[in-house]
Amino acid sequence: MRLHSGPEAFGGRSSLGREYSRLVTQAAQAADRSQGFYLWGAYNHRGFWTNIYLGQAGFGKTAHLQERIRKELSSERCALWRLVLGEKELMGVRAQHHGSRFVRNWLRSFQKAGATYIIWVADPELSNRDVQNIESDLIELLNPSANFKRPVPPTSLQQHTHMVVGHFRRLIHSERERRYHIGHLAVSTG
């Protein structure tokens, strides 16, 4: 994809917008079509991992990881552009395309700027209640910087949370040497 700073890069109807949508769909196909958890993150210059955003897929319109990740990358493309353009310039693009709509969405998306990886753990056996409780545990444990919503986790740590953290940790360590490349990894517990 060629770098382009014009407003047409944000529209889905432009050639650049269609190209971005195609790349997002292609990248998301690597994710499982089951519920689970995903983590946006990046390695710093010393190779240490930073948790940026934790999400879950388990119920609702985006009940599986593949669709959730695809929708998030599609709707929050301004997070990727935040590395190239300033926040003020991007908000001008938003206003040009959307008027006064989506201000909060774009500001939230900016918090994901700098992420170079999205990793996920799929678990088709989890119930919706388990997904929500484990997500609460993970947000409290991992403290991702872009998660503004911080649901109070159950009083005791969910047993399954240890497994998810272990999978995330193995994925993070396995990619440490390639830390400057944008990429994706997956692990399935099924």
Side-chain angles (χ1 to χ4, degrees), residues 49-93:
W49 177 262
T50 301
N51 296 315
I52 295 174
Y53 179 77
L54 179 104
Q56 53 86 5
F59 56 92
K61 293 180 181 177
T62 51
H64 58 78
L65 288 163
Q66 188 180 104
E67 184 63 10
R68 182 69 195 118
I69 290 169
R70 187 193 67 75
K71 282 189 178 235
E72 200 163 300
L73 284 170
S74 293
S75 67
E76 299 191 3
R77 65 184 73 191
C78 62
L80 304 175
W81 282 96
R82 181 61 186 90
L83 299 174
V84 178
L85 302 174
E87 192 171 310
K88 186 176 181 178
E89 192 173 5
L90 282 169
M91 290 305 276
V93 170

Short mmCIF file of all heavy atoms in Angstrom, two decimals, residues 49-93:
data_model
loop_
_atom_site.label_atom_id
_atom_site.label_comp_id
_atom_site.label_asym_id
_atom_site.label_seq_id
_atom_site.Cartn_x
_atom_site.Cartn_y
_atom_site.Cartn_z
N TRP A 49 7.86 -5.53 25.46
CA TRP A 49 6.50 -5.47 24.95
C TRP A 49 5.68 -4.45 25.73
O TRP A 49 5.78 -4.37 26.95
CB TRP A 49 5.85 -6.84 25.07
CG TRP A 49 4.42 -6.91 24.65
CD1 TRP A 49 3.33 -6.85 25.47
CD2 TRP A 49 3.91 -7.06 23.33
NE1 TRP A 49 2.18 -6.94 24.73
CE2 TRP A 49 2.51 -7.08 23.41
CE3 TRP A 49 4.51 -7.17 22.08
CZ2 TRP A 49 1.69 -7.22 22.29
CZ3 TRP A 49 3.69 -7.31 20.97
CH2 TRP A 49 2.30 -7.33 21.08
N THR A 50 4.84 -3.71 25.02
CA THR A 50 3.89 -2.77 25.63
C THR A 50 2.48 -3.19 25.22
O THR A 50 2.20 -3.33 24.02
CB THR A 50 4.16 -1.33 25.13
OG1 THR A 50 5.49 -0.97 25.46
CG2 THR A 50 3.18 -0.35 25.74
N ASN A 51 1.62 -3.40 26.20
CA ASN A 51 0.21 -3.72 25.93
C ASN A 51 -0.52 -2.41 25.62
O ASN A 51 -0.50 -1.49 26.42
CB ASN A 51 -0.45 -4.36 27.15
CG ASN A 51 0.18 -5.69 27.49
OD1 ASN A 51 0.42 -6.51 26.62
ND2 ASN A 51 0.45 -5.91 28.77
N ILE A 52 -1.18 -2.37 24.47
CA ILE A 52 -1.86 -1.15 24.06
C ILE A 52 -3.37 -1.28 24.19
O ILE A 52 -4.02 -0.39 24.72
CB ILE A 52 -1.44 -0.76 22.63
CG1 ILE A 52 0.06 -0.40 22.64
CG2 ILE A 52 -2.29 0.40 22.11
CD1 ILE A 52 0.66 -0.11 21.29
N TYR A 53 -3.95 -2.38 23.74
CA TYR A 53 -5.40 -2.53 23.82
C TYR A 53 -5.75 -4.01 23.88
O TYR A 53 -5.20 -4.81 23.13
CB TYR A 53 -6.07 -1.91 22.59
CG TYR A 53 -7.58 -2.05 22.60
CD1 TYR A 53 -8.37 -1.24 23.40
CD2 TYR A 53 -8.20 -3.03 21.84
CE1 TYR A 53 -9.74 -1.38 23.43
CE2 TYR A 53 -9.57 -3.17 21.86
CZ TYR A 53 -10.34 -2.35 22.67
OH TYR A 53 -11.70 -2.51 22.70
N LEU A 54 -6.66 -4.35 24.79
CA LEU A 54 -7.15 -5.72 24.89
C LEU A 54 -8.63 -5.74 24.52
O LEU A 54 -9.40 -4.91 25.00
CB LEU A 54 -6.99 -6.27 26.31
CG LEU A 54 -7.53 -7.70 26.39
CD1 LEU A 54 -6.41 -8.69 26.42
CD2 LEU A 54 -8.48 -7.87 27.52
N GLY A 55 -9.00 -6.66 23.67
CA GLY A 55 -10.40 -6.81 23.29
C GLY A 55 -10.82 -8.26 23.35
O GLY A 55 -9.99 -9.16 23.53
N GLN A 56 -12.11 -8.46 23.21
CA GLN A 56 -12.64 -9.82 23.23
C GLN A 56 -13.66 -9.99 22.14
O GLN A 56 -14.26 -9.02 21.67
CB GLN A 56 -13.24 -10.16 24.60
CG GLN A 56 -14.28 -9.18 25.11
CD GLN A 56 -15.71 -9.41 24.63
OE1 GLN A 56 -16.00 -10.39 23.96
NE2 GLN A 56 -16.59 -8.50 24.96
N ALA A 57 -13.84 -11.22 21.73
CA ALA A 57 -14.89 -11.59 20.78
C ALA A 57 -15.58 -12.80 21.39
O ALA A 57 -14.93 -13.78 21.70
CB ALA A 57 -14.28 -11.94 19.43
N GLY A 58 -16.88 -12.68 21.58
CA GLY A 58 -17.55 -13.80 22.19
C GLY A 58 -19.05 -13.75 22.11
O GLY A 58 -19.72 -14.74 22.37
N PHE A 59 -19.60 -12.63 21.78
CA PHE A 59 -21.04 -12.53 21.66
C PHE A 59 -21.38 -11.27 20.89
O PHE A 59 -20.53 -10.43 20.66
CB PHE A 59 -21.72 -12.53 23.04
CG PHE A 59 -21.22 -11.45 23.96
CD1 PHE A 59 -21.85 -10.22 24.02
CD2 PHE A 59 -20.11 -11.67 24.76
CE1 PHE A 59 -21.38 -9.23 24.86
CE2 PHE A 59 -19.64 -10.68 25.60
CZ PHE A 59 -20.28 -9.46 25.66
N GLY A 60 -22.60 -11.17 20.46
CA GLY A 60 -23.02 -9.99 19.71
C GLY A 60 -22.74 -10.13 18.23
O GLY A 60 -22.55 -11.21 17.70
N LYS A 61 -22.67 -8.98 17.55
CA LYS A 61 -22.50 -8.97 16.10
C LYS A 61 -21.13 -9.50 15.67
O LYS A 61 -20.99 -10.02 14.58
CB LYS A 61 -22.68 -7.54 15.56
CG LYS A 61 -24.09 -7.03 15.70
CD LYS A 61 -24.20 -5.63 15.16
CE LYS A 61 -25.61 -5.11 15.34
NZ LYS A 61 -25.74 -3.74 14.89
N THR A 62 -20.14 -9.31 16.49
CA THR A 62 -18.79 -9.79 16.15
C THR A 62 -18.42 -10.90 17.12
O THR A 62 -17.58 -10.74 17.99
CB THR A 62 -17.77 -8.65 16.20
OG1 THR A 62 -17.90 -7.98 17.46
CG2 THR A 62 -18.00 -7.65 15.08
N ALA A 63 -19.05 -12.04 16.95
CA ALA A 63 -18.91 -13.14 17.90
C ALA A 63 -17.65 -13.97 17.68
O ALA A 63 -17.42 -14.90 18.43
CB ALA A 63 -20.15 -14.04 17.84
N HIS A 64 -16.87 -13.66 16.69
CA HIS A 64 -15.62 -14.41 16.53
C HIS A 64 -14.46 -13.46 16.23
O HIS A 64 -14.65 -12.33 15.78
CB HIS A 64 -15.75 -15.52 15.48
CG HIS A 64 -16.14 -15.06 14.11
ND1 HIS A 64 -15.25 -14.49 13.24
CD2 HIS A 64 -17.32 -15.13 13.46
CE1 HIS A 64 -15.86 -14.22 12.10
NE2 HIS A 64 -17.13 -14.58 12.22
N LEU A 65 -13.27 -13.94 16.53
CA LEU A 65 -12.07 -13.12 16.44
C LEU A 65 -11.83 -12.54 15.04
O LEU A 65 -11.50 -11.37 14.91
CB LEU A 65 -10.85 -13.93 16.88
CG LEU A 65 -10.77 -14.23 18.36
CD1 LEU A 65 -9.80 -15.37 18.63
CD2 LEU A 65 -10.35 -12.98 19.12
N GLN A 66 -11.99 -13.36 14.03
CA GLN A 66 -11.71 -12.90 12.67
C GLN A 66 -12.54 -11.67 12.31
O GLN A 66 -12.01 -10.66 11.83
CB GLN A 66 -12.00 -14.03 11.68
CG GLN A 66 -11.56 -13.72 10.27
CD GLN A 66 -11.87 -14.86 9.34
OE1 GLN A 66 -12.84 -14.78 8.58
NE2 GLN A 66 -11.07 -15.91 9.40
N GLU A 67 -13.83 -11.72 12.58
CA GLU A 67 -14.69 -10.60 12.24
C GLU A 67 -14.42 -9.39 13.14
O GLU A 67 -14.42 -8.25 12.70
CB GLU A 67 -16.16 -11.02 12.33
CG GLU A 67 -17.13 -9.94 11.92
CD GLU A 67 -17.01 -9.49 10.47
OE1 GLU A 67 -16.30 -10.13 9.66
OE2 GLU A 67 -17.62 -8.47 10.12
N ARG A 68 -14.17 -9.64 14.42
CA ARG A 68 -13.92 -8.54 15.36
C ARG A 68 -12.65 -7.78 14.97
O ARG A 68 -12.62 -6.55 14.93
CB ARG A 68 -13.80 -9.09 16.79
CG ARG A 68 -13.58 -8.03 17.81
CD ARG A 68 -14.85 -7.18 17.96
NE ARG A 68 -14.53 -5.97 18.67
CZ ARG A 68 -14.66 -4.75 18.15
NH1 ARG A 68 -15.13 -4.56 16.95
NH2 ARG A 68 -14.34 -3.69 18.85
N ILE A 69 -11.60 -8.51 14.66
CA ILE A 69 -10.33 -7.87 14.28
C ILE A 69 -10.50 -7.14 12.95
O ILE A 69 -10.02 -6.01 12.79
CB ILE A 69 -9.20 -8.91 14.25
CG1 ILE A 69 -8.88 -9.37 15.68
CG2 ILE A 69 -7.96 -8.36 13.56
CD1 ILE A 69 -7.97 -10.57 15.77
N ARG A 70 -11.20 -7.74 12.00
CA ARG A 70 -11.42 -7.09 10.71
C ARG A 70 -12.19 -5.78 10.89
O ARG A 70 -11.79 -4.74 10.36
CB ARG A 70 -12.19 -8.01 9.76
CG ARG A 70 -12.30 -7.44 8.34
CD ARG A 70 -13.31 -8.17 7.49
NE ARG A 70 -14.68 -7.99 7.95
CZ ARG A 70 -15.39 -6.87 7.78
NH1 ARG A 70 -14.87 -5.82 7.17
NH2 ARG A 70 -16.64 -6.78 8.22
N LYS A 71 -13.26 -5.82 11.67
CA LYS A 71 -14.06 -4.60 11.88
C LYS A 71 -13.25 -3.53 12.60
O LYS A 71 -13.35 -2.34 12.27
CB LYS A 71 -15.33 -4.92 12.66
CG LYS A 71 -16.39 -5.56 11.81
CD LYS A 71 -17.69 -5.64 12.55
CE LYS A 71 -18.73 -6.22 11.65
NZ LYS A 71 -19.90 -5.42 11.52
N GLU A 72 -12.47 -3.94 13.58
CA GLU A 72 -11.70 -2.95 14.33
C GLU A 72 -10.64 -2.29 13.46
O GLU A 72 -10.47 -1.07 13.48
CB GLU A 72 -11.05 -3.62 15.55
CG GLU A 72 -10.66 -2.65 16.60
CD GLU A 72 -10.43 -3.32 17.93
OE1 GLU A 72 -11.36 -3.95 18.47
OE2 GLU A 72 -9.30 -3.20 18.42
N LEU A 73 -9.92 -3.07 12.67
CA LEU A 73 -8.92 -2.50 11.77
C LEU A 73 -9.57 -1.61 10.72
O LEU A 73 -9.02 -0.58 10.33
CB LEU A 73 -8.10 -3.60 11.10
CG LEU A 73 -7.05 -4.26 11.98
CD1 LEU A 73 -6.49 -5.50 11.28
CD2 LEU A 73 -5.94 -3.29 12.34
N SER A 74 -10.75 -2.00 10.24
CA SER A 74 -11.45 -1.20 9.24
C SER A 74 -11.92 0.13 9.80
O SER A 74 -11.73 1.18 9.19
CB SER A 74 -12.65 -1.96 8.69
OG SER A 74 -12.22 -3.07 7.96
N SER A 75 -12.55 0.09 10.96
CA SER A 75 -13.14 1.30 11.51
C SER A 75 -12.15 2.20 12.22
O SER A 75 -12.43 3.37 12.44
CB SER A 75 -14.30 0.95 12.46
OG SER A 75 -13.81 0.30 13.59
N GLU A 76 -10.99 1.68 12.57
CA GLU A 76 -10.03 2.48 13.33
C GLU A 76 -8.73 2.70 12.56
O GLU A 76 -7.65 2.77 13.14
CB GLU A 76 -9.78 1.83 14.68
CG GLU A 76 -11.06 1.75 15.48
CD GLU A 76 -10.85 1.35 16.92
OE1 GLU A 76 -9.70 1.18 17.35
OE2 GLU A 76 -11.86 1.23 17.62
N ARG A 77 -8.85 2.85 11.25
CA ARG A 77 -7.66 3.05 10.43
C ARG A 77 -6.91 4.32 10.79
O ARG A 77 -5.72 4.43 10.54
CB ARG A 77 -8.01 3.04 8.95
CG ARG A 77 -8.90 4.16 8.49
CD ARG A 77 -9.29 4.06 7.04
NE ARG A 77 -10.25 2.98 6.88
CZ ARG A 77 -10.63 2.49 5.71
NH1 ARG A 77 -10.16 2.98 4.61
NH2 ARG A 77 -11.50 1.53 5.65
N CYS A 78 -7.59 5.27 11.41
CA CYS A 78 -6.90 6.51 11.79
C CYS A 78 -5.81 6.25 12.83
O CYS A 78 -4.86 7.02 12.94
CB CYS A 78 -7.88 7.57 12.27
SG CYS A 78 -8.81 7.14 13.72
N ALA A 79 -5.89 5.14 13.58
CA ALA A 79 -4.83 4.78 14.53
C ALA A 79 -3.52 4.52 13.79
O ALA A 79 -2.44 4.88 14.27
CB ALA A 79 -5.21 3.56 15.36
N LEU A 80 -3.61 3.91 12.62
CA LEU A 80 -2.41 3.65 11.83
C LEU A 80 -1.86 4.93 11.22
O LEU A 80 -0.65 5.12 11.15
CB LEU A 80 -2.73 2.62 10.74
CG LEU A 80 -3.30 1.29 11.23
CD1 LEU A 80 -3.69 0.41 10.05
CD2 LEU A 80 -2.32 0.59 12.14
N TRP A 81 -2.76 5.82 10.80
CA TRP A 81 -2.34 7.09 10.22
C TRP A 81 -1.78 8.04 11.26
O TRP A 81 -1.08 8.99 10.92
CB TRP A 81 -3.50 7.74 9.46
CG TRP A 81 -3.72 7.10 8.14
CD1 TRP A 81 -4.61 6.12 7.84
CD2 TRP A 81 -3.00 7.35 6.94
NE1 TRP A 81 -4.50 5.76 6.52
CE2 TRP A 81 -3.52 6.50 5.94
CE3 TRP A 81 -1.97 8.23 6.61
CZ2 TRP A 81 -3.04 6.51 4.63
CZ3 TRP A 81 -1.50 8.23 5.30
CH2 TRP A 81 -2.04 7.38 4.35
N ARG A 82 -2.06 7.81 12.52
CA ARG A 82 -1.59 8.69 13.60
C ARG A 82 -0.07 8.75 13.65
O ARG A 82 0.52 9.71 14.10
CB ARG A 82 -2.17 8.22 14.94
CG ARG A 82 -1.77 9.05 16.14
CD ARG A 82 -2.24 10.50 15.99
NE ARG A 82 -1.75 11.30 17.06
CZ ARG A 82 -0.58 11.96 17.05
NH1 ARG A 82 0.21 11.91 16.01
NH2 ARG A 82 -0.20 12.68 18.08
N LEU A 83 0.60 7.73 13.13
CA LEU A 83 2.06 7.72 13.09
C LEU A 83 2.62 8.62 12.00
O LEU A 83 3.78 9.01 12.04
CB LEU A 83 2.57 6.29 12.88
CG LEU A 83 2.19 5.30 13.97
CD1 LEU A 83 2.62 3.90 13.58
CD2 LEU A 83 2.81 5.71 15.30
N VAL A 84 1.77 8.96 11.03
CA VAL A 84 2.21 9.76 9.89
C VAL A 84 1.73 11.20 10.00
O VAL A 84 2.47 12.13 9.72
CB VAL A 84 1.68 9.12 8.57
CG1 VAL A 84 2.08 9.95 7.37
CG2 VAL A 84 2.17 7.69 8.44
N LEU A 85 0.47 11.36 10.40
CA LEU A 85 -0.14 12.68 10.47
C LEU A 85 -0.40 13.07 11.93
O LEU A 85 -0.62 12.21 12.77
CB LEU A 85 -1.47 12.69 9.72
CG LEU A 85 -1.42 12.30 8.24
CD1 LEU A 85 -2.82 12.20 7.67
CD2 LEU A 85 -0.58 13.29 7.45
N GLY A 86 -0.42 14.34 12.20
CA GLY A 86 -0.72 14.82 13.54
C GLY A 86 -2.18 14.64 13.89
O GLY A 86 -3.04 14.53 13.01
N GLU A 87 -2.47 14.65 15.18
CA GLU A 87 -3.85 14.48 15.64
C GLU A 87 -4.75 15.58 15.11
O GLU A 87 -5.87 15.32 14.67
CB GLU A 87 -3.87 14.46 17.18
CG GLU A 87 -5.18 14.00 17.75
CD GLU A 87 -5.09 13.77 19.25
OE1 GLU A 87 -4.16 13.08 19.71
OE2 GLU A 87 -5.96 14.31 19.95
N LYS A 88 -4.26 16.81 15.11
CA LYS A 88 -5.05 17.94 14.62
C LYS A 88 -5.37 17.77 13.14
O LYS A 88 -6.51 17.99 12.71
CB LYS A 88 -4.30 19.25 14.87
CG LYS A 88 -5.07 20.48 14.54
CD LYS A 88 -4.28 21.73 14.91
CE LYS A 88 -5.08 22.98 14.60
NZ LYS A 88 -4.35 24.18 14.99
N GLU A 89 -4.39 17.35 12.36
CA GLU A 89 -4.59 17.14 10.93
C GLU A 89 -5.60 16.00 10.69
O GLU A 89 -6.48 16.11 9.84
CB GLU A 89 -3.25 16.81 10.27
CG GLU A 89 -3.27 16.86 8.77
CD GLU A 89 -1.87 16.69 8.19
OE1 GLU A 89 -0.91 16.45 8.93
OE2 GLU A 89 -1.78 16.78 6.96
N LEU A 90 -5.48 14.93 11.45
CA LEU A 90 -6.42 13.82 11.31
C LEU A 90 -7.84 14.21 11.70
O LEU A 90 -8.80 13.80 11.06
CB LEU A 90 -5.96 12.62 12.15
CG LEU A 90 -4.84 11.80 11.53
CD1 LEU A 90 -4.28 10.82 12.55
CD2 LEU A 90 -5.32 11.08 10.30
N MET A 91 -7.97 15.02 12.74
CA MET A 91 -9.31 15.47 13.14
C MET A 91 -9.91 16.37 12.06
O MET A 91 -11.12 16.39 11.87
CB MET A 91 -9.28 16.16 14.50
CG MET A 91 -9.00 15.20 15.66
SD MET A 91 -10.13 13.80 15.73
CE MET A 91 -11.49 14.55 16.62
N GLY A 92 -9.08 17.09 11.33
CA GLY A 92 -9.56 17.87 10.20
C GLY A 92 -10.08 16.96 9.08
O GLY A 92 -11.10 17.24 8.46
N VAL A 93 -9.38 15.86 8.84
CA VAL A 93 -9.82 14.88 7.85
C VAL A 93 -11.16 14.27 8.30
O VAL A 93 -12.08 14.11 7.49
CB VAL A 93 -8.76 13.77 7.65
CG1 VAL A 93 -9.31 12.62 6.82
CG2 VAL A 93 -7.50 14.34 7.02
#
